[in-house]
C-alpha cells in the first residue's frame, strides 16, 4: 500500500466526510488553484476551528448569509 500525496488525490473526490491532516511536521496547508475555490456544504454551515475550538462559522439561514463568532463575548473584526 502506497500512501498518496496531496497531488495524487483525485480532484473529483466526493464523500460524506473528508479530513486532510498532517500528522508529522505540523506545517501549514496551502490550497492554491488556478480557478476558484468552492465550499459546498449541504448542512448549511462552514466552521472554522483553532486547536479544535470553534472560532467562527458561516451559515445559510433561510438564504441569509450569517457570519458568527464562535467564542462568547468576542468580536468579528474587518480590517
Amino acid at each position: 500500500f502506497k500512501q498518496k500525496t496531496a497531488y495524487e488525490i483525485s480532484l473529483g473526490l466526493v464523500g460524506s466526510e473528508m479530513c486532510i491532516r498532517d500528522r508529522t511536521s505540523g506545517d501549514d496547508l496551502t490550497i492554491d488553484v488556478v480557478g476558484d475555490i468552492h465550499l459546498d456544504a449541504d448542512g448549511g454551515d462552514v466552521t472554522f476551528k483553532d486547536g479544535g475550538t470553534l472560532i467562527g462559522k458561516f451559515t445559510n439561514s433561510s438564504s441569509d448569509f450569517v457570519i458568527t463568532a464562535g467564542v462568547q463575548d468576542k468580536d468579528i473584526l474587518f480590517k
Side-chain angles (χ1 to χ4, degrees):
F1 175 75
K2 179 185 178 290
Q3 185 174 359
K4 291 186 175 187
T5 67
Y7 299 106
E8 295 172 313
I9 296 174
S10 170
L11 292 177
L13 182 63
V14 176
S16 61
E17 186 174 319
M18 182 178 72
C19 180
I20 300 172
R21 184 172 296 152
D22 181 359
R23 294 184 180 184
T24 57
S25 65
D27 289 334
D28 297 337
L29 170 67
T30 301
I31 300 173
D32 186 0
V33 298
V34 174
D36 297 328
I37 296 174
H38 301 274
L39 300 176
D40 186 355
D42 281 346
D45 296 318
V46 176
T47 59
F48 298 87
K49 294 183 177 183
D50 183 9
T53 301
L54 178 68
I55 59 169
K57 179 167 57 171
F58 293 162
T59 303
N60 175 7
S61 177
S62 299
S63 296
D64 290 331
F65 182 62
V66 180
I67 302 172
T68 308
V71 179
Q72 186 175 353
D73 298 328
K74 295 306 285 182
D75 299 321
I76 299 172
L77 304 176
F78 295 92
K79 294 185 177 187

